[in-house]
Amino acid sequence: MEVKTKIPLLLEQSIKGRTGYTIAELDVPEVPLQELIPPAYLRVEEPRLPEVSELEVVRYFTGLSRRNHGVDVGFYPLGSCTMKYNPRVHEDMAALAGFSQIHPYQPASTVDGALEMMYELDTYLAEISGLAKSTLQPAAGAHGELAGLLIIKAFHKQNGEDQQRTEMIIPDAAHGTNPASAMMAGFSVRTVVSNKRGGVDLAALKSLLGPKTAGLMLTNPNTLGLFDENIIEIADLVHAAGGLLYYDGANANAILGIVRPGDMGFDIVHFNLHKTFSTPHGGGGPGAGPIVVKQELAPFLPYPIIEKGSNGYALVKPVHSIGRMKSFYGNFGVLVRAYAYIRTHGYPGLRAVSENAVLNANYLMHHLKEYFALPYDRLCMHEFVLSGKWQKKVGVSTLDMAKRMLDYGIHAPTIYFPLIVEEAIMVEPTETESKEVLDHFIFLMQRIAQEAIDSAESFKNAPSMTPVGRLDETRAARERVLRFSTQENS
Ligand SMILES: *Cc1c(COP(=O)(O)O)cnc(C)c1O
């Protein structure tokens, strides 16, 4: 016997004949496999699968889950990702049989309730955004961006201007998905620089606008967590040049019930239901990135959309639809969670979400700016960006500090983004954390800043208290090993 230090693979625990299930006796005549499947397709060797008990399976997967950080484990201030707590009641709603046991091939007439839920979610998102009509199909924020950009393209095409309007203007602070989606939709990207206050530089914008302008992609508050007060002027300038305005609403946590993208002059917006509206996320989905458009653009929406008629709800194809963005109706379970979230909060609750998210971010920013450089020292919205440049001078990088935080049991903030801030540390506390948690975070951050001065070398081995040490981050992201494997992963 040896002392086990790591979780053994399930296959290593396999004992011939051990099972974790019981199946009822067969009560119909047994048909030999060879009669059902041509022998040429039947496998000759038995698959190498672990034969284990239910308890072994439970321990194995529980063990794996405990090696990871999640919002159910501790604070997760990952900026631009809105890792808020997701109330369990929404999971219960998504699991209701009327939602979870229906099939996308069922006739629409048998799922009126599901259609009603989607229709109402559509109207709520329209109300929250100040726009007219949505599609719930896109499966992620970036997918919504692509849908919105294809609509912009179709709009210009209808006006006979698609050959000419080829440029999408995007700020240098934008999320990386914005330029990627624009390229994917066939636009060329023009970058507009930010001004000293962290907003769009108006002179630079004016110099980019012209007959080639297809549109501007913006998020407000932007990825620096700052609200651009020039937004009305920006919208007027873009519209005057013949372009459309796309709002990246992935992080709507600062605006709910307070300000609406439609009122700011935007024509299209996407929401990340998995960020703002309560679906657990990370690790790649499932998510939902519905887009909402102004009335004039509704004829271009992907199909099907849901309309309310005299005989109930109907699935409709808009006249100039850009086509389908996804099979069936999108990630339906995520839609149910968002619907439940909006219904449980109501208008006052949603407004309180944003007020508290903004309050929490400003509270942290105020207490941390003594210890970390703050490039844009002004009221922030739901998140803010510090710089680790003071610590970098004494040999401790933002990456080093992020790794140290893991030893203290908190997830690191987003780092090195947005790109325009040197050694960026982007913090988003969300509204679901208590003052005690925020105070503890301030305490730890102060301690890390002090450690950087006192013992810079101690950072090099961080993290040392986590299940794995410092990883090759590129390889960990690019060569992920997510499948059950019969081989030891190196
Ligand atoms: C997360 C995010 C996106 C992309 O959303 P996905 O669902 O990951 O595709 C786009 N823009 C901003 C500002 C974001 O934070």
Side-chain angles (χ1 to χ4, degrees):
M1 286 273 160
E2 53 177 320
V3 178
K4 287 186 185 140
T5 52
K6 60 180 179 185
I7 301 171
L9 292 174
L10 266 186
L11 204 64
E12 289 171 3
Q13 302 180 52
S14 186
I15 304 277
K16 187 106 199 103
R18 188 170 284 179
T19 58
Y21 61 86
T22 35
I23 294 180
E25 289 283 322
L26 195 64
D27 58 1
V28 291
E30 186 167 354
V31 185
L33 262 187
Q34 285 80 354
E35 287 177 24
L36 294 171
I37 300 170
Y41 295 119
L42 285 175
R43 43 187 309 163
V44 186
E45 275 172 41
E46 274 187 30
R48 280 188 74 213
L49 291 174
E51 298 183 60
V52 286
S53 69
E54 180 174 313
L55 177 58
E56 282 158 341
V57 172
V58 167
R59 283 198 180 142
Y60 177 72
F61 285 107
T62 305
L64 285 183
S65 77
R66 285 170 56 171
R67 302 179 64 163
N68 211 346
H69 190 88
V71 76
D72 294 344
V73 176
F75 190 37
Y76 207 144
L78 193 66
S80 200
C81 295
T82 315
M83 304 303 283
K84 61 166 82 172
Y85 171 70
N86 304 294
R88 293 299 184 269
V89 63
H90 308 141
E91 299 303 313
D92 292 348
M93 296 304 108
L96 287 175
F99 290 134
S100 63
Q101 301 294 310
I102 54 178
H103 195 280
Y105 276 134
Q106 249 172 275
S109 60
T110 65
V111 287
D112 217 41
L115 295 179
E116 180 177 5
M117 185 282 292
M118 288 194 281
Y119 179 81
E120 288 190 2
L121 179 59
D122 169 44
T123 58
Y124 298 157
L125 295 178
E127 181 58 35
I128 290 168
S129 62
L131 291 162
K133 185 73 189 161
S134 80
T135 170
L136 304 172
Q137 278 187 19
H143 199 201
E145 290 170 21
L146 181 64
L149 292 164
L150 291 175
I151 288 177
I152 293 181
K153 204 164 198 181
F155 171 81
H156 290 313
K157 188 166 184 180
Q158 197 190 44
N159 296 334
E161 291 190 332
D162 58 316
Q163 299 297 320
Q164 168 202 333
R165 296 197 177 272
T166 54
E167 294 180 353
M168 191 55 60
I169 303 174
I170 300 175
D172 54 5
H175 194 271
T177 51
N178 293 182
S181 302
M183 296 287 281
M184 217 166 163
F187 293 110
S188 56
V189 173
R190 302 293 305 273
T191 304
V192 59
V193 292
S194 302
N195 62 23
K196 286 219 170 58
R197 280 179 66 73
V200 171
D201 187 298
L202 287 179
L205 177 65
K206 282 179 196 157
S207 73
L208 292 173
L209 287 169
K212 287 188 177 172
T213 302
L216 170 73
M217 290 181 92
L218 207 65
T219 171
N220 195 26
N222 63 17
T223 57
L224 294 164
L226 303 173
F227 190 84
D228 198 322
E229 308 98 331
N230 295 326
I231 187 60
I232 300 292
E233 189 175 352
I234 292 169
D236 288 346
L237 285 169
V238 174
H239 284 146
L244 293 177
L245 273 102
Y246 183 93
Y247 185 92
D248 177 345
N251 316 114
N253 233 29
I255 63 165
L256 302 176
I258 297 175
V259 60
R260 306 192 304 175
D263 299 334
M264 295 185 222
F266 286 91
D267 305 299
I268 307 178
V269 54
H270 84 257
F271 289 113
N272 277 26
L273 300 188
H274 49 289
K275 286 180 183 167
T276 310
F277 299 98
S278 176
T279 279
H281 61 290
I291 60 171
V292 200
V293 300
K294 65 177 176 182
Q295 196 60 50
E296 195 187 345
L297 297 176
F300 299 102
L301 281 170
Y303 70 89
I305 57 168
I306 298 144
E307 297 285 13
K308 191 176 179 178
S310 44
N311 297 326
Y313 297 90
L315 298 168
V316 173
K317 183 174 180 178
V319 273
H320 304 300
S321 177
I322 56 164
R324 268 187 179 280
M325 287 305 290
K326 189 164 187 338
S327 54
F328 306 119
Y329 312 103
N331 284 330
F332 184 74
V334 181
L335 308 180
V336 180
R337 287 174 179 85
Y339 178 81
Y341 184 81
I342 292 171
R343 290 296 299 255
T344 38
H345 281 80
Y347 166 70
L350 290 180
R351 196 181 160 98
V353 162
S354 286
E355 286 172 349
N356 288 321
V358 171
L359 180 64
N360 282 358
N362 279 285
Y363 181 72
L364 285 187
M365 184 179 79
H366 174 76
H367 285 285
L368 293 176
K369 71 181 181 187
E370 205 180 314
Y371 302 90
F372 297 87
L374 178 66
Y376 302 95
D377 191 357
R378 47 180 279 213
L379 193 73
C380 72
M381 296 295 136
H382 59 298
E383 61 194 359
F384 59 96
V385 183
L386 300 167
S387 166
K389 65 182 179 188
W390 296 345
Q391 287 74 22
K392 177 84 177 180
K393 282 214 185 82
V394 296
V396 177
S397 69
T398 286
L399 179 70
D400 292 334
M401 291 190 282
K403 296 300 179 191
R404 194 84 183 120
M405 289 178 212
L406 305 181
D407 277 338
Y408 290 138
I410 44 177
H411 196 284
T414 296
I415 56 173
Y416 298 108
F417 175 76
L419 304 176
I420 55 173
V421 172
E422 183 188 347
E423 297 291 310
I425 306 171
M426 182 192 215
V427 184
E428 181 180 2
T430 85
E431 76 286 2
T432 57
E433 298 298 339
S434 65
K435 180 167 179 295
E436 291 71 31
V437 169
L438 302 183
D439 284 338
H440 187 61
F441 180 66
I442 294 166
F443 163 74
L444 292 175
M445 291 292 278
Q446 290 172 348
R447 190 175 155 141
I448 285 170
Q450 192 58 44
E451 268 182 351
I453 298 165
D454 298 342
S455 57
E457 67 296 339
S458 71
F459 283 82
K460 293 300 163 201
N461 297 324
S464 57
M465 274 130 82
T466 47
V468 289
R470 202 178 281 209
L471 295 170
D472 176 336
E473 304 206 326
T474 313
R475 264 195 73 204
R478 296 279 149 79
E479 297 171 32
R480 288 182 293 180
V481 185
L482 299 177
R483 274 178 44 195
F484 175 77
S485 165
T486 55
Q487 253 125 58
E488 184 66 57
N489 304 320
S490 58

